[in-house]
Amino acid sequence: MKHLKFAIPVLASLNIDKTVTFYKEKLGFDKIGWKDKNYAVIGRDKVEIHFWKCNNKIHPENTSCYIQVEEVDELYEEMKIAGVVHPNGPLQNQPWGMREFAVLDKDGNMIKFGQFL
């Protein structure tokens, strides 16, 4: 019997309102399932991310998640225009069989987007 269906990242946020605004305006997350001052659930396409309020930047600056995508080149161009591509995370083919890039949110969480080669 298979029990596991999918994973949902839960990332740290220094300010829930600012985090949700950033993900909406810069990363195109257009679904809000829940939001208060301590927690948020947002989504884009088939991806959902949760955020919890924290007071120490060490948490988001040491956290990341990976999102598998389709049409990674087009998404990369969208993120370049938004100015969120990580300085060390340009689009490239990786030896583990992924074409990927990374972005940083306002709190320091790194999000990697990748597509199978």
Side-chain angles (χ1 to χ4, degrees):
M1 178 178 276
K2 295 180 181 179
H3 297 281
L4 306 181
K5 291 173 63 176
F6 54 87
I8 298 172
V10 182
L11 303 176
S13 167
L14 298 172
N15 180 302
I16 295 293
D17 287 330
K18 288 181 181 180
T19 297
V20 169
T21 297
F22 176 84
Y23 275 76
K24 181 180 178 184
E25 293 177 358
K26 297 291 188 176
L27 303 184
F29 279 70
D30 57 353
K31 299 175 186 124
I32 299 176
W34 173 262
K35 183 173 89 66
D36 64 22
K37 65 180 185 172
N38 294 307
Y39 205 84
V41 176
I42 61 173
R44 175 180 172 170
D45 303 327
K46 296 180 182 179
V47 170
E48 181 177 299
I49 300 177
H50 293 205
F51 293 93
W52 62 279
K53 171 76 170 77
C54 73
N55 295 316
N56 190 331
K57 67 180 183 172
I58 193 169
H59 299 297
E61 289 179 351
N62 289 283
T63 304
S64 65
C65 75
Y66 198 100
I67 300 173
Q68 288 186 3
V69 303
E70 296 175 343
E71 300 178 13
V72 70
D73 291 82
E74 289 179 21
L75 183 62
Y76 178 69
E77 291 303 317
E78 177 186 328
M79 298 300 157
K80 269 181 35 179
I81 291 168
V84 295
V85 174
H86 188 292
N88 298 323
L91 184 64
Q92 56 188 335
N93 295 341
Q94 300 293 352
W96 47 87
M98 299 297 288
R99 182 163 175 77
E100 66 184 30
F101 69 96
V103 305
L104 281 180
D105 72 15
K106 287 284 189 189
D107 295 320
N109 290 299
M110 182 173 60
I111 314 293
K112 283 192 172 184
F113 296 96
Q115 179 178 354
F116 288 107
L117 291 172

